[in-house]
């Protein structure tokens, strides 16, 4: 197989998981902007996700968020997904939208509140069983606003205890993916603020616990690709939440703020064997003012483009330049790959997969947007908290 053929073959096997909540209404802290045709329930979210997969060919799974995607029959939901040509992906927990969680959830000083939070996480594992999901994805808004508000060490003890109980509930082939975030909503301490904290807890829990890297959850200037390389080296990179940010918060389209950073991250994924392992490539985005489905398609394409460039890095030339101390030469090898226009290559890949070479144009021409606007009248649109 030629080098180009190998790159094409790798791109055809790529899978990007889309998030159910990205198909619903979302917004800022100030306003949620509703759009016509937005799904009204998890079944309609899956219908939209199926369109993304139909036109990209690489978005076969959909992450759920509980209770936003709560239904009476999860087996039926999984069956609906299968009929549409997709599958249920990660089950995301929600321990941040209940009044009881004002002082935290799994780290709360009140044992009754901690019990409630752990109960919800165990419920999410039940949903994994019913849907065939592999991954339980955990993000905690837990933290404190003021020095002395709570005992920092005790909160870590509570976190470890709660995680251990949920970990023991995981079945064969299931994983716990622990996400971290520098800050927000807590202003003083966050209980899982960085990759080191997440890694330490996962290391103690065992092989089924791995770290999720959300690309928008870092301080400005953080070398995210170093974190990715480190976690891959230790076998503890479970997945990504792909998005972008310009200032503090996240959830803009992946690659929007710094496409070169996305390329550097994907190079380390390719270099570390993550592209052919169990690393989950998930989007975690909220499309507040742009049309939902085209934005998600564009995001998938952005990941594809960064991946294609990473696969085109001349590993032999790079290694030789690095070994000889050729600083500029080594950098040039990376930049040559990054500067390559991979869009023609990806168009060829899509055509070979039986897809339209321009997914966004194909979606716009298919009439789905007009169809759902006409049909999804009445009822409550899905959105944050719905």
């Amino acid at each position: 197989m030629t080098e180009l053929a190998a790159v094409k073959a790798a791109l055809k096997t790529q899978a990007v998981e889309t998030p159910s909540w990205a198909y619903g209404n979302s917004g800022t802290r100030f306003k949620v902007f509703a759009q016509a045709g937005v799904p009204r329930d998890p079944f309609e979210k899956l219908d939209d996700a199926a369109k993304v997969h139909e036109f990209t060919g690489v978005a076969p799974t959909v992450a759920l968020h509980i209770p936003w995607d709560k239904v009476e029959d999860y087996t039926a939901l999984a069956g609906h997904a299968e009929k549409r040509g997709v599958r249920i992906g990660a089950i995301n927990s929600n321990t941040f939208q209940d009044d009881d969680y004002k002082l935290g959830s799994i780290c709360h000083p009140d044992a009754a509140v901690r019990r409630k939070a752990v109960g919800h996480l165990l419920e999410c594992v039940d949903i994994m069983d019913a849907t065939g999901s592999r991954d339980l994805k955990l993000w905690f808004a837990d933290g404190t606003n003021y020095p002395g508000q709570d005992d920092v060490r005790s909160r870590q003890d509570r976190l470890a205890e709660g995680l251990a109980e949920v970990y023991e509930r995981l079945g064969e082939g299931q994983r716990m993916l622990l996400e971290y975030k520098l800050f927000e909503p807590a202003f003083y301490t966050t209980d899982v603020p960085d990759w080191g904290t997440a890694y330490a807890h996962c290391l103690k829990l065992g092989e089924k616990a791995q770290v999720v890297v959300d690309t928008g959850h870092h301080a400005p200037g953080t070398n995210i690709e170093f974190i990715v390389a480190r976690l891959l080296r230790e076998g503890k990179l479970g997945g990504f939440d792909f998005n972008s940010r310009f200032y503090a918060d996240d959830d803009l389209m992946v690659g929007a703020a710094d496409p070169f950073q996305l390329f550097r991250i994907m190079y380390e994924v390719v270099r570390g064997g993550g592209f052919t392992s169990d690393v989950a490539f998930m989007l975690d985005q909220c499309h507040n003012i742009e049309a939902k489905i085209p934005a998600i398609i564009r995001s998938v394409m952005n990941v594809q483009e960064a991946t294609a460039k990473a696969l085109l890095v001349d590993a032999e030339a790079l290694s030789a330049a690095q070994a000889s101390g050729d600083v500029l030469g080594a950098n040039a090898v990376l930049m040559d790959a990054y500067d390559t226009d991979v869009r023609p290559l990806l168009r060829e890949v899509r055509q070979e997969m039986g897809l339209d070479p321009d997914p966004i144009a194909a979606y716009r021409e298919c009439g789905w947007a007009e169809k759902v606007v006409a049909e999804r009248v009445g009822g409550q649109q899905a959105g944050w908290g719905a």
Side-chain angles (χ1 to χ4, degrees), residues 77-111:
L77 187 66
H80 181 81
E82 187 176 356
K83 289 177 182 177
R84 296 296 184 270
V86 293
R87 303 186 309 278
I88 302 300
I91 304 300
N92 291 253
S93 62
N94 183 321
T95 55
F96 54 87
Q97 283 191 313
D98 192 292
D99 286 344
D100 284 343
Y101 300 143
K102 180 171 66 174
L103 300 180
S105 61
I106 196 172
C107 302
H108 198 287
D110 187 333

Side-chain angles (χ1 to χ4, degrees), residues 43 52 62 83 93 105 112 117 122 140 145 177 191-192 196 214-215 222 248 266 300 307 348 354:
F43 293 90
V52 173
V62 187
K83 289 177 182 177
S93 62
S105 61
L122 294 174
F140 299 106
N145 283 350
L177 304 184
D191 290 314
V192 190
D214 185 305
T215 53
T222 297
M266 290 310 301
V300 172
T307 303
E348 287 182 22

Side-chain angles (χ1 to χ4, degrees), residues 213-237:
V213 174
D214 185 305
T215 53
H217 283 189
H218 302 83
T222 297
N223 190 318
I224 301 174
E225 57 267 32
F226 173 82
I227 298 171
V228 170
R230 187 80 173 88
L231 290 172
L232 275 169
R233 184 174 182 271
E234 300 301 325
K236 279 295 183 182
L237 180 63

